[in-house]
Amino acid sequence: MDLILDYFQELDPVFAAFLATLFTWGLTALGASLVFLFKGMNRAFFDGMLGFTGGVMVAASFWSLLAPGIEMSPGEGFVKVIPALVGFGLGALFIFGLDKVLPHLHVNFKMSESEGIKTPWHKSVLLTLAITLHNIPEGLAVGVLFGGVSAGFEGASIGGAVALAMGIGLQNFPEGFAVAMPLRRQGLSRWKSFNYGQMSAIVEPIAAVLGAWAVMTFQPILPYALCFAAGAMIFVVVEEVVPEAQQGNFTDISTMGFIGGFMVMMTLDVGLG
Protein backbone atom coordinates (compact mmCIF):
# COMPACT_ATOMS: atom_id res chain seq x y z
CA MET A 1 0.00 0.00 0.00
CA ASP A 2 2.89 2.38 0.77
CA LEU A 3 4.15 1.89 -2.79
CA ILE A 4 0.75 2.87 -4.17
CA LEU A 5 0.62 6.00 -2.02
CA ASP A 6 4.17 6.97 -3.00
CA TYR A 7 3.31 6.45 -6.68
CA PHE A 8 0.25 8.71 -6.53
CA GLN A 9 2.18 11.29 -4.49
CA GLU A 10 4.61 11.81 -7.38
CA LEU A 11 1.96 12.14 -10.10
CA ASP A 12 0.41 15.29 -11.47
CA PRO A 13 -2.80 15.62 -9.40
CA VAL A 14 -5.08 15.87 -12.42
CA PHE A 15 -3.54 12.72 -13.88
CA ALA A 16 -3.67 11.03 -10.47
CA ALA A 17 -7.39 11.81 -10.21
CA PHE A 18 -7.87 10.47 -13.73
CA LEU A 19 -6.06 7.20 -12.91
CA ALA A 20 -7.94 6.77 -9.64
CA THR A 21 -11.30 7.12 -11.36
CA LEU A 22 -10.21 4.81 -14.17
CA PHE A 23 -9.91 2.28 -11.34
CA THR A 24 -13.46 3.03 -10.13
CA TRP A 25 -14.72 2.83 -13.71
CA GLY A 26 -12.91 -0.48 -14.15
CA LEU A 27 -14.66 -1.98 -11.13
CA THR A 28 -18.00 -0.86 -12.57
CA ALA A 29 -17.10 -2.69 -15.78
CA LEU A 30 -16.04 -5.74 -13.76
CA GLY A 31 -19.41 -5.77 -12.02
CA ALA A 32 -21.22 -5.40 -15.33
CA SER A 33 -19.21 -8.32 -16.75
CA LEU A 34 -21.02 -10.67 -14.35
CA VAL A 35 -23.85 -10.59 -16.87
CA PHE A 36 -21.76 -13.02 -18.92
CA LEU A 37 -21.69 -15.49 -16.01
CA PHE A 38 -25.12 -15.30 -14.39
CA LYS A 39 -28.66 -15.50 -15.70
CA GLY A 40 -30.31 -13.62 -12.85
CA MET A 41 -29.72 -11.40 -9.86
CA ASN A 42 -30.62 -12.40 -6.32
CA ARG A 43 -32.83 -9.62 -4.95
CA ALA A 44 -31.57 -9.96 -1.38
CA PHE A 45 -27.98 -9.62 -2.58
CA PHE A 46 -28.91 -6.65 -4.75
CA ASP A 47 -30.65 -4.79 -1.92
CA GLY A 48 -27.72 -5.50 0.39
CA MET A 49 -25.30 -4.08 -2.16
CA LEU A 50 -27.48 -1.00 -2.67
CA GLY A 51 -27.38 -0.47 1.08
CA PHE A 52 -23.61 -0.94 1.00
CA THR A 53 -23.39 1.76 -1.68
CA GLY A 54 -25.33 4.17 0.50
CA GLY A 55 -23.15 3.46 3.53
CA VAL A 56 -19.95 4.07 1.58
CA MET A 57 -21.28 7.34 0.18
CA VAL A 58 -22.43 8.67 3.56
CA ALA A 59 -19.15 7.73 5.28
CA ALA A 60 -17.12 9.24 2.44
CA SER A 61 -19.18 12.42 2.63
CA PHE A 62 -18.18 12.97 6.25
CA TRP A 63 -14.75 11.40 6.71
CA SER A 64 -13.27 12.28 3.31
CA LEU A 65 -15.07 15.53 2.44
CA LEU A 66 -16.97 17.40 5.15
CA ALA A 67 -14.50 16.94 8.01
CA PRO A 68 -11.43 17.99 5.93
CA GLY A 69 -13.43 20.85 4.39
CA ILE A 70 -14.32 22.23 7.82
CA GLU A 71 -10.81 21.66 9.14
CA MET A 72 -9.18 23.72 6.39
CA SER A 73 -11.75 26.55 6.54
CA PRO A 74 -10.51 29.87 7.97
CA GLY A 75 -11.97 31.55 11.04
CA GLU A 76 -13.41 30.22 14.28
CA GLY A 77 -16.82 29.21 15.60
CA PHE A 78 -19.76 29.84 13.29
CA VAL A 79 -17.52 31.56 10.75
CA LYS A 80 -15.49 28.38 10.28
CA VAL A 81 -18.55 26.37 9.23
CA ILE A 82 -19.74 28.84 6.56
CA PRO A 83 -17.83 27.20 3.65
CA ALA A 84 -19.26 23.82 4.66
CA LEU A 85 -22.80 25.19 4.81
CA VAL A 86 -22.54 26.97 1.48
CA GLY A 87 -20.76 24.14 -0.34
CA PHE A 88 -22.97 21.40 1.08
CA GLY A 89 -26.16 23.25 0.17
CA LEU A 90 -24.99 24.07 -3.35
CA GLY A 91 -23.94 20.46 -3.96
CA ALA A 92 -27.36 19.19 -2.96
CA LEU A 93 -29.07 21.82 -5.13
CA PHE A 94 -26.86 20.89 -8.09
CA ILE A 95 -27.94 17.25 -8.02
CA PHE A 96 -31.53 18.30 -7.28
CA GLY A 97 -31.48 20.31 -10.51
CA LEU A 98 -29.97 17.43 -12.49
CA ASP A 99 -32.53 15.05 -10.99
CA LYS A 100 -35.36 17.24 -12.27
CA VAL A 101 -33.90 17.66 -15.75
CA LEU A 102 -31.97 14.48 -16.60
CA PRO A 103 -34.30 11.69 -17.78
CA HIS A 104 -33.64 8.55 -15.73
CA LEU A 105 -35.27 5.47 -14.23
CA HIS A 106 -34.21 3.73 -11.05
CA VAL A 107 -33.69 -0.02 -10.90
CA ASN A 108 -36.84 -1.94 -9.86
CA PHE A 109 -39.10 1.02 -10.77
CA LYS A 110 -41.71 1.01 -13.55
CA MET A 111 -41.38 3.09 -16.72
CA SER A 112 -44.27 5.24 -15.48
CA GLU A 113 -42.08 6.18 -12.50
CA SER A 114 -39.24 7.60 -14.60
CA GLU A 115 -37.97 11.03 -13.51
CA GLY A 116 -36.69 14.14 -15.23
CA ILE A 117 -37.83 15.50 -18.55
CA LYS A 118 -40.11 13.04 -20.31
CA THR A 119 -38.52 11.47 -23.39
CA PRO A 120 -39.17 8.51 -25.71
CA TRP A 121 -35.79 7.04 -24.75
CA HIS A 122 -35.57 3.31 -24.19
CA LYS A 123 -35.59 1.91 -20.66
CA SER A 124 -31.96 0.81 -21.05
CA VAL A 125 -30.82 4.41 -21.54
CA LEU A 126 -32.88 5.65 -18.58
CA LEU A 127 -31.48 2.96 -16.28
CA THR A 128 -27.93 3.85 -17.27
CA LEU A 129 -28.54 7.54 -16.71
CA ALA A 130 -29.87 6.84 -13.21
CA ILE A 131 -26.57 5.24 -12.15
CA THR A 132 -24.66 7.95 -14.03
CA LEU A 133 -26.37 10.49 -11.78
CA HIS A 134 -24.92 8.61 -8.77
CA ASN A 135 -21.43 8.74 -10.24
CA ILE A 136 -21.10 12.47 -10.94
CA PRO A 137 -20.50 13.51 -7.30
CA GLU A 138 -18.31 10.46 -6.72
CA GLY A 139 -15.89 11.38 -9.51
CA LEU A 140 -15.98 15.02 -8.46
CA ALA A 141 -15.12 14.09 -4.87
CA VAL A 142 -12.04 12.12 -5.90
CA GLY A 143 -10.79 14.90 -8.17
CA VAL A 144 -11.31 17.64 -5.60
CA LEU A 145 -9.45 15.67 -2.95
CA PHE A 146 -6.46 15.01 -5.21
CA GLY A 147 -6.43 18.70 -6.15
CA GLY A 148 -6.44 19.62 -2.47
CA VAL A 149 -3.44 17.40 -1.79
CA SER A 150 -1.50 19.14 -4.55
CA ALA A 151 -2.43 22.55 -3.20
CA GLY A 152 -0.97 21.55 0.15
CA PHE A 153 -4.08 22.14 2.23
CA GLU A 154 -3.97 20.76 5.74
CA GLY A 155 -6.55 18.01 6.11
CA ALA A 156 -6.17 16.77 2.52
CA SER A 157 -3.91 13.72 2.19
CA ILE A 158 -2.93 11.37 -0.58
CA GLY A 159 -3.99 8.48 1.64
CA GLY A 160 -7.43 9.98 2.06
CA ALA A 161 -7.78 10.50 -1.70
CA VAL A 162 -6.72 6.91 -2.44
CA ALA A 163 -9.02 5.60 0.30
CA LEU A 164 -11.94 7.50 -1.22
CA ALA A 165 -11.22 6.04 -4.67
CA MET A 166 -11.00 2.53 -3.20
CA GLY A 167 -14.31 2.91 -1.35
CA ILE A 168 -16.10 4.27 -4.39
CA GLY A 169 -14.62 1.51 -6.52
CA LEU A 170 -15.95 -1.16 -4.13
CA GLN A 171 -19.49 0.16 -4.29
CA ASN A 172 -19.26 0.68 -8.07
CA PHE A 173 -18.84 -3.07 -8.56
CA PRO A 174 -22.47 -3.95 -7.69
CA GLU A 175 -23.71 -0.84 -9.50
CA GLY A 176 -22.38 -2.14 -12.79
CA PHE A 177 -24.16 -5.45 -12.23
CA ALA A 178 -27.32 -3.58 -11.14
CA VAL A 179 -27.54 -1.91 -14.55
CA ALA A 180 -26.44 -4.83 -16.72
CA MET A 181 -28.61 -7.60 -15.29
CA PRO A 182 -32.03 -5.88 -15.57
CA LEU A 183 -31.20 -5.00 -19.17
CA ARG A 184 -30.33 -8.62 -19.87
CA ARG A 185 -33.70 -9.67 -18.42
CA GLN A 186 -35.40 -7.26 -20.82
CA GLY A 187 -33.94 -9.13 -23.77
CA LEU A 188 -30.79 -7.18 -24.60
CA SER A 189 -27.76 -9.22 -25.57
CA ARG A 190 -25.14 -9.89 -22.93
CA TRP A 191 -22.70 -7.63 -24.75
CA LYS A 192 -25.11 -4.69 -24.95
CA SER A 193 -26.10 -5.17 -21.32
CA PHE A 194 -22.43 -5.12 -20.33
CA ASN A 195 -21.77 -1.97 -22.36
CA TYR A 196 -24.65 -0.08 -20.80
CA GLY A 197 -23.52 -1.21 -17.34
CA GLN A 198 -19.93 -0.05 -17.68
CA MET A 199 -20.85 3.17 -19.49
CA SER A 200 -22.71 4.37 -16.40
CA ALA A 201 -19.35 5.19 -14.76
CA ILE A 202 -17.70 6.94 -17.71
CA VAL A 203 -18.63 10.27 -16.14
CA GLU A 204 -16.37 9.64 -13.12
CA PRO A 205 -12.98 10.31 -14.81
CA ILE A 206 -14.49 13.40 -16.49
CA ALA A 207 -15.83 14.80 -13.21
CA ALA A 208 -12.57 13.94 -11.40
CA VAL A 209 -10.39 15.79 -13.89
CA LEU A 210 -12.66 18.84 -13.78
CA GLY A 211 -12.68 18.79 -9.97
CA ALA A 212 -8.91 18.52 -9.64
CA TRP A 213 -8.31 21.23 -12.24
CA ALA A 214 -10.80 23.62 -10.61
CA VAL A 215 -9.27 23.27 -7.15
CA MET A 216 -5.71 23.73 -8.43
CA THR A 217 -6.71 26.78 -10.48
CA PHE A 218 -8.87 28.42 -7.81
CA GLN A 219 -7.34 27.18 -4.56
CA PRO A 220 -9.57 29.19 -2.16
CA ILE A 221 -12.61 27.20 -3.31
CA LEU A 222 -11.28 23.89 -1.92
CA PRO A 223 -13.30 23.86 1.34
CA TYR A 224 -16.40 24.77 -0.63
CA ALA A 225 -15.64 22.16 -3.30
CA LEU A 226 -15.15 19.34 -0.78
CA CYS A 227 -18.44 20.14 0.93
CA PHE A 228 -20.14 20.61 -2.47
CA ALA A 229 -19.24 17.02 -3.34
CA ALA A 230 -20.48 15.88 0.08
CA GLY A 231 -23.83 17.61 -0.36
CA ALA A 232 -24.23 16.08 -3.81
CA MET A 233 -23.48 12.58 -2.49
CA ILE A 234 -25.85 12.87 0.47
CA PHE A 235 -28.64 14.03 -1.83
CA VAL A 236 -28.10 11.00 -4.05
CA VAL A 237 -28.17 8.65 -1.05
CA VAL A 238 -31.38 10.04 0.45
CA GLU A 239 -33.27 10.65 -2.78
CA GLU A 240 -32.10 7.70 -4.87
CA VAL A 241 -30.08 4.95 -3.18
CA VAL A 242 -32.10 4.44 0.01
CA PRO A 243 -35.53 4.37 -1.72
CA GLU A 244 -34.23 1.81 -4.23
CA ALA A 245 -32.82 -0.37 -1.43
CA GLN A 246 -36.10 -0.26 0.50
CA GLN A 247 -38.37 -1.27 -2.40
CA GLY A 248 -38.38 -5.04 -1.83
CA ASN A 249 -38.82 -7.49 1.02
CA PHE A 250 -35.21 -7.36 2.21
CA THR A 251 -35.10 -4.02 4.00
CA ASP A 252 -33.17 -5.48 6.95
CA ILE A 253 -30.50 -6.80 4.60
CA SER A 254 -30.18 -3.44 2.85
CA THR A 255 -29.93 -1.70 6.22
CA MET A 256 -27.14 -4.02 7.34
CA GLY A 257 -25.48 -3.48 3.98
CA PHE A 258 -25.58 0.25 4.68
CA ILE A 259 -23.93 -0.25 8.06
CA GLY A 260 -21.27 -2.47 6.49
CA GLY A 261 -20.54 0.05 3.75
CA PHE A 262 -20.18 2.84 6.29
CA MET A 263 -17.78 0.75 8.38
CA VAL A 264 -15.64 -0.19 5.37
CA MET A 265 -15.34 3.41 4.13
CA MET A 266 -14.65 4.74 7.63
CA THR A 267 -11.91 2.14 8.11
CA LEU A 268 -10.30 2.94 4.77
CA ASP A 269 -10.32 6.67 5.35
CA VAL A 270 -9.02 6.58 8.92
CA GLY A 271 -6.50 3.82 8.17
CA LEU A 272 -5.06 5.41 5.04
CA GLY A 273 -5.80 9.08 5.66
Side-chain angles (χ1 to χ4, degrees):
M1 181 57 68
D2 288 340
L3 291 176
I4 295 175
L5 297 181
D6 290 341
Y7 173 74
F8 274 98
Q9 188 75 57
E10 296 175 1
L11 293 176
D12 174 82
V14 174
F15 185 59
F18 178 71
L19 283 184
T21 44
L22 281 185
F23 165 75
T24 63
W25 182 12
L27 284 182
T28 305
L30 188 62
S33 71
L34 294 179
V35 75
F36 294 108
L37 304 176
F38 299 99
K39 295 181 179 180
M41 177 171 56
N42 182 277
R43 183 58 191 268
F45 173 78
F46 173 71
D47 287 350
M49 288 297 97
L50 270 180
F52 182 87
T53 293
V56 167
M57 293 177 74
V58 169
S61 296
F62 176 75
W63 294 98
S64 300
L65 302 171
L66 272 175
I70 293 172
E71 181 181 343
M72 64 183 62
S73 297
E76 299 293 336
F78 288 111
V79 173
K80 192 173 182 64
V81 80
I82 288 175
L85 290 173
V86 173
F88 191 85
L90 289 177
L93 286 174
F94 172 69
I95 299 298
F96 173 80
L98 282 182
D99 186 67
K100 296 303 179 186
V101 174
L102 184 70
H104 61 285
L105 176 68
H106 302 300
V107 180
N108 297 321
F109 282 65
K110 300 176 183 178
M111 276 296 289
S112 60
E113 297 176 289
S114 62
E115 301 178 25
I117 296 174
K118 300 303 177 184
T119 71
W121 293 350
H122 193 272
K123 188 174 182 179
S124 56
V125 176
L126 297 179
L127 284 169
T128 304
L129 288 176
I131 302 298
T132 300
L133 189 63
H134 294 194
N135 290 331
I136 292 173
E138 295 171 2
L140 181 64
V142 174
V144 165
L145 208 49
F146 272 106
V149 173
S150 173
F153 279 89
E154 186 178 355
S157 69
I158 195 69
V162 170
L164 179 61
M166 290 175 63
I168 288 174
L170 286 175
Q171 58 94 28
N172 274 5
F173 179 81
E175 280 188 355
F177 189 50
V179 176
M181 188 52 68
L183 299 180
R184 176 58 181 162
R185 288 205 306 263
Q186 291 176 35
L188 270 69
S189 69
R190 295 183 188 274
W191 183 248
K192 284 187 176 180
S193 300
F194 164 76
N195 272 331
Y196 276 115
Q198 61 90 19
M199 283 294 288
S200 65
I202 194 173
V203 71
E204 287 189 357
I206 298 171
V209 167
L210 289 175
W213 172 83
V215 167
M216 293 178 62
T217 305
F218 310 102
Q219 292 187 14
I221 73 168
L222 179 60
Y224 296 89
L226 286 170
C227 298
F228 180 96
M233 290 177 73
I234 292 296
F235 184 94
V236 166
V237 171
V238 176
E239 206 276 338
E240 315 239 355
V241 177
V242 170
E244 287 180 46
Q246 297 291 314
Q247 278 286 306
N249 298 320
F250 304 100
T251 55
D252 288 344
I253 293 176
S254 66
T255 301
M256 293 308 297
F258 184 99
I259 298 299
F262 190 98
M263 293 170 65
V264 167
M265 187 64 237
M266 178 176 64
T267 302
L268 285 173
D269 191 83
V270 175
L272 294 177

